[in-house]
Amino acid sequence: MTTARLHDHLAEAIKDPDPIRVGDNLICLRFETMKVYSALGAVRHLLETGAVRPGDTLIDSSSGIYAHALALACHRYGMKCHIVGSTTVDKTLKIQLEILGATVEQVPSSNNLQLDQNLRVRRISEILRDNPTYHWMQQYHDDIHYLGYGAVADLLDNLVPTGPLCLVGGVGTGASTGAIAEYLRDRGRDVNLVGVQPFGSITFGAGHTKDPEMIIAGIGSSIEFRNVRHELYDRLHWVSFDYAMSAAVDLLRTSGVFAGLSAGAAYLSALWEHNCDSSRRHVFLAADTGTRYVESAFARHAEAQPMAAMRPREIDSLNQLAVPWSAMSWNRRESVVAERHEFPSATPSH
């Protein structure tokens, strides 16, 4: 008989993923909101080190997932929270954030990822000038967000205790896939790390490409994310909206897992990697549910392409990148990204 665990706060209850077998040697780690691990670990560390005190205001920019996670962590530890959000923070999430006590403002609507991210970070700089006691969480830059993912590595190590692994998921700020892989490697595990990016993201040098429908929030960037450790990644996949949507629809149809576009892209990439190397147990991350993509993606399920019809263009140079799907062996190299965009300093002044 299983004994239910009583949690002191919702944040602790919802952070653990549901491991789901979706194929031979293919596991989906399905989170309700994965970044709760990151936010809880970061806020707890800040309080323990005295960098912030209960009642202080924490502020950050978010496309949605981190906003919810930070609001929950602030609620859990008695902190105030201010979110500068993108337009992907929908009404349902915005109302939840407000009831949790967070204040939310959104930058003007834009279909341009670079403009959206730059506007959000610039707005934070303005707020910090007017409110110097606020603490900027800097999910894009601060390695403190790696800390919480040690628990995910523990979970995965127990779930698959032996044998080589391949971990597949969105790169984002680097503090999820990168952190989990690093913690596992520190335990002596043989882990290949495969990062997923949208076209147009500069993080691994795809700033010169464009996907007209790129709305895969949170896994790519048009500004530099300083806590991405490029040398942790073995392979990269760049996936278009159409292919990510098609894979997300297939994931729901075949396994019942309702997850976001980044999960669809990771699922597609993990299936390909498994076909190329079946000796490893492949695990892909579904960072959140598909709720915020119902209208923009899942409502178009009739347009979804069959999985067998999609295959990547294998490239050996970033100049060869092409929509709708490209893959490349990165081989744990340092960053080769030359493109940079202006944004406020990541060094907090308080």
Side-chain angles (χ1 to χ4, degrees):
M1 180 177 180
T2 302
T3 302
R5 179 185 174 190
L6 182 63
H7 297 276
D8 293 326
H9 193 274
L10 178 71
E12 305 291 347
I14 68 170
K15 63 181 176 59
D16 290 342
D18 299 309
I20 301 165
R21 192 192 317 276
V22 297
D24 293 337
N25 283 331
L26 182 59
I27 296 170
C28 172
L29 282 189
R30 185 266 187 193
F31 297 81
E32 183 169 341
T33 174
M34 180 180 69
K35 287 192 175 180
V36 167
Y37 274 103
S38 180
L40 283 175
V43 173
R44 186 165 51 242
H45 179 78
L46 289 171
L47 285 167
E48 289 173 349
T49 58
V52 300
R53 297 187 299 269
D56 284 355
T57 298
L58 307 183
I59 182 173
D60 214 344
S61 164
S62 174
S63 60
I65 300 176
Y66 185 77
H68 188 209
L70 183 59
L72 285 171
C74 286
H75 190 274
R76 166 72 175 82
Y77 289 112
M79 314 293 292
K80 296 184 180 70
C81 178
H82 185 83
I83 298 295
V84 178
S86 73
T87 53
T88 56
V89 177
D90 59 24
K91 183 178 180 181
T92 301
L93 176 56
K94 187 172 184 288
I95 290 173
Q96 286 186 71
L97 296 176
E98 291 171 347
I99 294 173
L100 284 167
T103 52
V104 184
E105 59 177 283
Q106 291 173 279
V107 298
S109 178
S110 171
N111 292 323
N112 184 294
L113 177 64
Q114 177 183 339
L115 179 61
D116 176 77
Q117 289 178 322
N118 275 311
L119 284 175
R120 282 189 273 143
V121 178
R122 190 172 296 121
R123 176 57 186 148
I124 287 178
S125 181
E126 294 170 354
I127 294 171
L128 290 173
R129 282 198 300 266
D130 295 334
N131 301 274
T133 62
Y134 285 12
H135 183 90
W136 183 14
M137 292 299 294
Q138 302 181 85
Q139 66 149 326
Y140 300 150
H141 311 306
D142 197 334
D143 287 349
I144 195 174
H145 291 91
Y146 276 64
L147 298 175
Y149 288 109
V152 183
D154 290 339
L155 185 153
L156 192 50
D157 202 28
N158 290 328
L159 182 68
V160 187
T162 60
L165 287 169
C166 178
L167 179 65
V168 185
V171 175
T173 64
S176 55
T177 46
I180 297 168
E182 189 169 42
Y183 278 115
L184 285 168
R185 288 170 180 166
D186 286 346
R187 289 161 171 74
R189 296 299 300 268
D190 176 3
V191 180
N192 271 1
L193 179 58
V194 179
V196 178
Q197 288 268 274
F199 289 95
S201 172
I202 73 163
T203 306
F204 281 89
H208 62 288
T209 64
K210 185 177 181 181
D211 177 5
E213 293 198 83
M214 189 190 76
I215 57 170
I216 309 177
I219 67 168
S221 176
S222 63
I223 63 175
E224 182 184 15
F225 282 180
R226 293 179 182 171
N227 62 8
V228 174
R229 299 175 187 169
H230 298 76
E231 68 276 10
L232 295 176
Y233 291 84
D234 296 281
R235 295 264 294 164
L236 270 299
H237 285 248
W238 293 264
V239 181
S240 70
F241 167 84
D242 286 341
Y243 275 30
M245 180 270 287
S246 297
V249 168
D250 185 83
L251 181 62
L252 176 56
R253 180 178 290 131
T254 58
S255 70
V257 174
F258 181 48
L261 288 177
S262 66
Y267 170 54
L268 181 68
S269 303
L271 282 173
W272 181 259
E273 293 296 324
H274 179 260
N275 288 337
C276 295
D277 182 7
S278 60
S279 66
R280 292 179 178 272
R281 181 72 63 89
H282 287 70
V283 179
F284 70 93
L285 305 181
D288 66 341
T289 71
T291 302
R292 63 175 172 160
Y293 294 110
V294 170
E295 293 298 328
S296 60
F298 288 96
R300 298 168 56 178
H301 61 86
E303 304 172 25
Q305 300 185 47
M307 296 293 283
M310 299 183 288
R311 59 186 298 121
R313 178 185 189 184
E314 193 68 37
I315 63 173
D316 53 27
S317 167
L318 293 172
N319 294 327
Q320 299 169 344
L321 276 167
V323 174
W325 181 13
S326 295
M328 179 179 180
S329 292
W330 189 257
N331 298 323
R332 306 189 188 184
R333 289 181 288 154
E334 296 285 345
S335 172
V336 297
V337 179
E339 184 175 358
R340 292 292 181 265
H341 297 280
E342 182 180 351
F343 57 95
S345 170
T347 303
S349 57
H350 48 83

